[in-house]
């Protein structure tokens, strides 16, 4: 798999220019995103610069192509295997119109396909049954929805880590144009040097998630 060339990658996957550049490299040539670089990327909202390791990207392309062939789309796979059974089928009916206000309306999971991060950085995805408002241009968050998400990140993740927690958590929401799953809103949370027990605590299934 590590020797595949770009020409051999399954065409239905929408390759970006960054993807094509990554696929021209070996894993040994790939430069992992460190925490400082991630902070700059997110601060500048340059989300298109986030990259997966070449071998991981090839596996992701293969998985995406096969999953779409089997389930029709990625959303159907998520509903079957990742999202709370209590949510049922879209269009979802959230308990609250405010994202992340009700625990039954969001599900915290470790990302199955993280970007190429330096050791010690974990990638979390928070799925939301409640829509997160975006603008009408590139599909970025509105100022109001950005504040709602920022408040949630503080109370759920940062406060849990205690003193210095704000230096261990950053987050982003892909623009609509960059999302591989558009039917279900979600945000990405990156944390560094967090104990596995805390990651497990954050991502545990709650009773309200069960059918």
């Amino acid at each position: 798999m590590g020797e595949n060339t770009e020409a051999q990658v399954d065409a239905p996957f929408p390759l970006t220019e960054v993807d094509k550049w990554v696929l021209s490299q070996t894993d040994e040539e790939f430069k992992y995103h460190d925490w400082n670089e991630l902070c700059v990327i997110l601060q500048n909202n340059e989300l298109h610069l986030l990259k997966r390791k070449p071998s991981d990207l090839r596996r992701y392309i293969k998985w995406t192509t096969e999953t779409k062939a089997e389930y029709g789309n990625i959303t159907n796979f998520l509903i079957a295997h990742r999202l709370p059974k209590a949510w049922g089928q879209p269009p979802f009916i959230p308990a609250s119109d405010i994202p992340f206000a009700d625990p039954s309306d969001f599900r915290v999971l470790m990302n199955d396909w993280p970007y190429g991060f330096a050791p010690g950085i974990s990638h979390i995805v928070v799925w939301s049954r409640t829509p997160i408002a975006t603008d009408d241009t590139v599909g970025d968050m509105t100022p109001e929805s950005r504040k709602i998400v920022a408040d949630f990140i503080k109370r759920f993740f940062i406060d849990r880590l205690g003193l210095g927690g704000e230096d261990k958590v950053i987050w982003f929401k892909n623009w609509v144009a960059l999302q591989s799953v558009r039917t279900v809103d979600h945000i990405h949370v990156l944390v560094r040097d967090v104990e596995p027990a805390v990651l497990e605590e954050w991502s545990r299934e709650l009773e309200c998630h069960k059918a």
Side-chain angles (χ1 to χ4, degrees), residues 31-69:
K31 180 182 179 294
Y32 291 88
H33 295 295
D34 63 25
W35 191 255
N36 289 336
E37 180 189 9
L38 289 170
C39 289
V40 172
I41 288 175
L42 270 56
Q43 182 178 357
N44 295 334
N45 211 18
E46 296 177 322
L47 304 179
H48 61 288
L49 297 180
L50 292 171
K51 305 177 290 293
R52 290 181 174 88
K53 186 173 67 174
S55 60
D56 286 345
L57 178 57
R58 291 186 177 94
R59 284 192 289 270
Y60 181 57
I61 291 170
K62 182 175 184 292
W63 176 86
T64 299
T65 302
E66 293 174 348
T67 301
K68 286 181 177 179

Side-chain angles (χ1 to χ4, degrees), residues 30 33 39 50-52 68 75 77 84 86 90 97-98 103 106 122 135 138 144 148 159 190:
F30 180 77
H33 295 295
C39 289
L50 292 171
K51 305 177 290 293
R52 290 181 174 88
K68 286 181 177 179
T75 300
F77 169 83
D97 292 333
I98 301 174
F106 64 89
S122 300
D135 61 31
V138 298
E144 294 79 11
I148 288 172
D159 289 351
L190 310 180

Side-chain angles (χ1 to χ4, degrees), residues 82-103:
R82 293 290 186 270
L83 299 181
K85 298 300 181 185
W87 290 9
Q89 297 288 326
F92 301 127
I93 302 176
S96 174
D97 292 333
I98 301 174
F100 311 113
D102 191 297

Side-chain angles (χ1 to χ4, degrees), residues 35-193:
W35 191 255
N36 289 336
E37 180 189 9
L38 289 170
C39 289
V40 172
I41 288 175
L42 270 56
Q43 182 178 357
N44 295 334
N45 211 18
E46 296 177 322
L47 304 179
H48 61 288
L49 297 180
L50 292 171
K51 305 177 290 293
R52 290 181 174 88
K53 186 173 67 174
S55 60
D56 286 345
L57 178 57
R58 291 186 177 94
R59 284 192 289 270
Y60 181 57
I61 291 170
K62 182 175 184 292
W63 176 86
T64 299
T65 302
E66 293 174 348
T67 301
K68 286 181 177 179
E70 181 176 355
Y71 290 89
N73 54 54
I74 302 300
T75 300
N76 290 339
F77 169 83
L78 290 169
I79 291 171
H81 299 288
R82 293 290 186 270
L83 299 181
K85 298 300 181 185
W87 290 9
Q89 297 288 326
F92 301 127
I93 302 176
S96 174
D97 292 333
I98 301 174
F100 311 113
D102 191 297
S104 67
D105 285 333
F106 64 89
R107 181 73 171 96
V108 180
L109 294 171
M110 301 307 297
N111 192 355
D112 293 330
W113 297 100
Y115 294 102
F117 299 139
I121 300 174
S122 300
H123 190 168
I124 299 166
V125 181
V126 185
W127 298 92
S128 175
R129 180 163 60 167
T130 307
I132 302 171
T134 58
D135 61 31
D136 296 324
T137 53
V138 298
D140 198 5
M141 285 183 294
T142 64
E144 294 79 11
S145 63
R146 186 174 292 276
K147 183 181 186 305
I148 288 172
V149 175
D151 290 344
F152 164 70
I153 294 294
K154 181 180 185 304
R155 70 174 181 268
F156 192 90
F157 294 100
I158 294 176
D159 289 351
R160 169 63 182 80
L161 297 177
L163 185 64
E166 66 275 7
D167 297 324
K168 294 184 175 182
V169 181
I170 52 179
W171 65 274
F172 66 94
K173 182 180 185 296
N174 270 330
W175 315 323
V176 172
L178 295 176
Q179 292 176 355
S180 57
V181 180
R182 301 185 183 183
T183 308
V184 188
D185 272 335
H186 54 286
I187 59 172
H188 298 259
V189 183
L190 310 180
V191 299
R192 62 169 176 170
D193 302 330

